[in-house]
Amino acid sequence: MAIGIGKRSFGLALSGGSLRGAAHIGVLQVMTEHGIYPDYIAGSSIGSLIGALYATGRDFSGNARNLEVKGYHDILDWNFDVCSLFSMGLKILFLSSIKKFLPKGLIKGNKIEYMLTKIFGKNGFNKCRIPLYITATDINTGELVVFTSSKYKHKKMGKNTVIYTDVSLPEAIRASISIPGIFVPKKIKGRALVDGGVKNNVPVDILFYQGADVIAAVDLGFASQKDDQIDSIIEVLLQTSDIMAQELSDMRTSRYADLVIRPGITDMKLTDFHKIPYCIKKGREVGIQAVPELKRLLNI
């Protein structure tokens, strides 16, 4: 409950959730329209990208079509082709040990990182107007890795957490969105890093450790699907990741978040780029509903 006089510091956590993360844009649009500005942002996976766009001053207003990507071919560089699959099949058929021939992910991630570098520049964190925290997971040690800027003073963030302040923003986002099995892990400082959502999909605790008075989370949650929509290995991996993360996210938000905003978007695939405007609209709807409570909590 808000106490005292004057605006309280506000931390906003943006969860992972693949393309459904476009809902974060709608929520941030509404907050801006009502004069509500986060003092800290922490993001995981797609939340790291949207959080970075906001923290570096990108304008989300205007026609949602400007925020669309032409298609997944523009940003996804598959880690195999017909020839490599055939070759892999022969090796598996004739050799007893198959581990060294299996890819570490279906998508290399180089195209996405190139796109991120074009957007943010080679550094990016230095352009942040507010403290930004991006999460990733060390697939070998299980540690949470948090990327941020050296411009800001940071407090400890709990056990099994490593903080890096000298990694570029594009690299940090590329690590945070690396869904296990889909993206090849991002190598940084000798670590093999995967999606931040594996360890911390709604990083409200990071905001708590940094001293935010009021903490809100946009939790995209578990996206239930129709039976006929789970039709590929990619969808199986995405659903598995979401299911495993949700219970931990619920526990974390119940402990650290003053307000949880849930867009409730379901039945959406990794390649449903045409649904991005719909997700933004859903984000706006739940954002409008959250404004009165946010203003009460922030004393504004």
Side-chain angles (χ1 to χ4, degrees):
M1 180 179 294
I3 56 175
I5 300 174
K7 181 184 179 299
R8 311 176 77 205
S9 63
F10 174 32
L12 179 65
L14 303 177
S15 83
S18 191
L19 287 184
R20 293 179 295 127
H24 294 321
I25 296 172
V27 173
L28 285 164
Q29 284 179 340
V30 169
M31 288 184 183
T32 301
E33 291 164 6
H34 287 80
I36 301 172
Y37 304 101
D39 300 293
Y40 312 87
I41 286 187
S44 177
S45 198
I46 188 63
S48 73
L49 172 58
I50 305 303
L53 288 169
Y54 180 87
T56 54
R58 295 311 195 279
D59 183 7
F60 291 147
S61 63
N63 196 323
R65 288 179 298 181
N66 296 329
L67 298 164
E68 290 185 63
V69 177
K70 293 179 181 179
Y72 60 89
H73 296 293
D74 297 331
I75 59 174
L76 303 185
D77 41 0
W78 300 102
N79 201 25
F80 56 85
D81 53 27
V82 173
C83 291
S84 63
L85 284 176
F86 180 71
S87 175
M88 187 188 305
L90 290 177
K91 291 173 181 176
I92 292 173
L93 182 63
F94 292 108
L95 297 173
S96 58
S97 176
I98 67 172
K99 181 172 68 172
K100 62 181 178 180
F101 298 113
L102 294 176
K104 295 181 180 180
L106 301 177
I107 299 168
K108 297 176 184 177
N110 296 332
K111 282 188 177 181
I112 286 184
E113 189 166 339
Y114 175 73
M115 178 194 72
L116 293 170
T117 302
K118 288 177 64 177
I119 294 172
F120 298 106
K122 292 186 178 180
N123 193 323
F125 271 114
N126 289 338
K127 300 176 183 177
C128 291
R129 304 174 302 172
I130 59 175
L132 171 68
Y133 304 91
I134 290 176
T135 66
T137 305
D138 187 320
I139 196 65
N140 292 312
T141 67
E143 292 173 300
L144 180 70
V145 177
V146 179
F147 301 102
T148 187
S149 171
S150 59
K151 293 194 303 182
Y152 306 106
K153 293 181 179 180
H154 310 293
K155 300 177 183 178
K156 292 183 179 179
M157 299 184 190
K159 296 180 179 179
N160 298 318
T161 300
V162 178
I163 304 172
Y164 288 131
T165 61
D166 58 349
V167 173
S168 75
L169 186 52
E171 287 182 298
I173 298 171
R174 162 66 175 87
S176 188
I177 64 173
S178 298
I179 303 167
I182 295 181
F183 285 91
V184 173
K186 174 65 180 175
K187 288 291 186 71
I188 296 178
K189 296 183 180 294
R191 295 178 180 270
L193 301 179
V194 297
D195 198 315
V198 172
K199 185 79 174 183
N200 192 339
N201 198 44
V202 192
V204 287
D205 51 329
I206 291 175
L207 301 171
F208 172 81
Y209 292 132
Q210 300 314 304
D213 296 320
V214 175
I215 299 172
V218 183
D219 184 5
L220 299 172
F222 163 61
S224 61
Q225 304 283 352
K226 297 176 182 177
D227 291 341
D228 60 356
Q229 286 193 314
I230 307 296
D231 55 6
S232 70
I233 186 174
I234 291 180
E235 296 303 323
V236 170
L237 290 169
L238 282 171
Q239 283 297 98
T240 302
S241 178
D242 283 351
I243 291 169
M244 291 191 298
Q246 192 54 49
E247 187 170 348
L248 289 174
S249 296
D250 290 341
M251 293 174 59
R252 192 170 278 112
T253 53
S254 67
R255 179 176 180 181
Y256 295 107
D258 299 290
L259 177 65
V260 182
I261 301 168
R262 294 186 171 92
I265 300 169
T266 60
D267 295 339
M268 188 166 177
K269 294 184 178 182
L270 180 64
T271 56
D272 284 344
F273 288 87
H274 63 283
K275 292 185 179 180
I276 286 177
Y278 164 75
C279 293
I280 295 173
K281 180 182 177 182
K282 290 290 290 185
R284 289 189 60 86
E285 290 174 357
V286 295
I288 290 169
Q289 294 172 6
V291 163
E293 179 63 7
L294 265 178
K295 287 187 173 181
R296 185 190 72 82
L297 290 167
L298 294 170
N299 287 332
I300 59 176

